[in-house]
Amino acid sequence: MNQDEALNILMLGHNVFLTGAAGSGKTYLLNKYIKYLKKHNVVVGITASTGIAATHMNGKTIHSWAHIGIKDVLTPSDLAQISNREDYKTKILNTKVLIIDEVSMLHDFRLDMVNQVLQKIHQNDLAFGGIQVILCGDLFQLPPVSRGQQSAKYINNSDVWQKMNLRICYLTEQHRQENNDFLRLLDEIRKNQVSDYSVKNLQARMNEEVKTDIKPTKLYTHNIDVDLINDSELDKLTTKDHLYEMKSSGDKYLVKSLTDTCLAPSELHLKKGAIVMFVQNNFTKGYVNGTLGEVIGFNKDDHYPIVKTISGKIITATPSSWKIEEGMETLAEITQVPLRLAWAITVHKSQGMTLDAAQIDLSKAFVNGMGYVALSRVKSLDGIKLLGINRRALAVDPDIAIADIDFRQNSLKVVDELKSIRPKELKKLHHKYIAEISSNLA
């Protein structure tokens, strides 16, 4: 399915699982739908499974939005407490569309808990109380965190999954990788059928330098203090230190949540010669989340950093903002230069990024999907310097590989269903749905 087809399905009001390979434009499409809804004064619940993912869309974590916290079970008392809070109740009743991004990291039982909350408040036994829900993510990417000996289960194992009457929208256009051999490798990883040909192509990048003037970011698969590594590298530079402090406004607790999850630090120290990456998309200025560069100087007027990207583009990095929005209101906002030091970054923090180049050590990969996430951040095989690899690195969950076949087939059926609707009728249906949900605030 392409993005236009998926957007048409979303605009019909169906519950949707929006999926596809890394780089297929899932979050971009979500933001496009959010903009469409807001244009028509529709209140959208914008959430994600993690704080970092939520910042990409000016949203909250689903745990915070639904007020379930880190609980594993909701008791009748918990549900009564949530539904009796008038402010929570009003917010949820006013929300006509709920979006949950990066659902690969969301436990099945937590999706069921969100369903319980919405059913209780709406007093409606339909899935999620009858509102449109869009689940977005790629189940081949980082999984929910396992607890003890218990394996974590993905959202397609939740009780509510079968009750949602989901349309699967499987995006197949690729907006990150272009190299055919690299695309073949990534696709074979997803199918759990990595060929000798692809392994050979990947191993050819072992200790091979990336042809660039800027040292590629080192991507760590294991838990390590990358801030310590970056600060250490910055200290080696003898040039003048420039400090950029984050500014904030709004609810102090939400500001703290934004600050803790935003990839731009609250205090950004930069020097000429520092390796940095942009941590936000700005297509107008010519950078995306993950664009690598080097600080080559500072603007004379306001002292903002001037960055030469790996492609040779010169960009003055001016402050940008991250928000938490609810309905039409901005609850919290932070402003900072959209950069971070980039000698090193963890795979977990790289999810959602597009990296020009990376040094990747997969010798310590310890969970299914980790190698896939690390490799799929990068645009081409030539942009990878492979430092090591183990057997686990190219593994994905076998159950997800099987489920993915079903997702693809279901998406084809949805395309056929869409094509059976005449353009004029489709437009009428879009107008009808938007008219239904753009009024009746609680």
Side-chain angles (χ1 to χ4, degrees), residues 163-292:
K163 301 171 185 175
M164 293 177 68
N165 192 21
L166 275 169
R167 301 300 196 276
I168 308 295
C169 293
Y170 200 122
L171 298 180
T172 51
E173 294 174 328
Q174 183 51 242
H175 301 278
R176 183 176 296 158
Q177 291 90 19
E178 294 179 357
N179 179 273
N180 287 335
D181 283 340
F182 195 29
L183 286 170
R184 172 176 171 172
L185 166 64
L186 296 175
D187 192 50
E188 287 178 355
I189 294 174
R190 294 174 71 86
K191 294 174 180 175
N192 248 357
Q193 297 174 347
V194 182
S195 65
D196 291 341
Y197 176 82
S198 290
V199 170
K200 185 179 177 181
N201 280 329
L202 179 59
Q203 288 178 334
R205 298 304 306 163
M206 186 72 74
N207 296 314
E208 282 292 314
E209 297 295 338
V210 177
K211 294 177 182 178
T212 172
D213 295 333
I214 299 172
K215 188 176 182 180
T217 302
K218 187 168 183 182
L219 217 51
Y220 284 90
T221 54
H222 52 295
N223 191 15
I224 192 168
D225 192 343
V226 296
D227 290 335
L228 198 64
I229 295 169
N230 286 322
D231 290 342
S232 174
E233 291 294 330
L234 187 70
D235 286 342
K236 293 176 185 178
L237 299 176
T238 57
T239 47
K240 182 182 175 182
D241 190 314
H242 290 70
L243 172 63
Y244 305 90
E245 294 185 291
M246 186 179 283
K247 296 177 182 178
S248 64
S249 62
D251 181 280
K252 64 179 183 179
Y253 296 106
L254 294 178
V255 164
K256 185 179 186 307
S257 173
L258 264 179
T259 304
D260 289 347
T261 54
C262 181
L263 288 173
S266 55
E267 290 190 349
L268 175 64
H269 288 270
L270 294 178
K271 297 178 182 179
K272 185 178 179 180
I275 304 299
V276 294
M277 68 168 57
F278 287 89
V279 291
Q280 201 178 55
N281 293 330
N282 188 320
F283 302 109
T284 304
K285 284 195 170 185
Y287 62 79
V288 296
N289 183 22
T291 295
L292 191 65

Side-chain angles (χ1 to χ4, degrees), residues 189 335 348:
I189 294 174
T335 305
H348 274 82

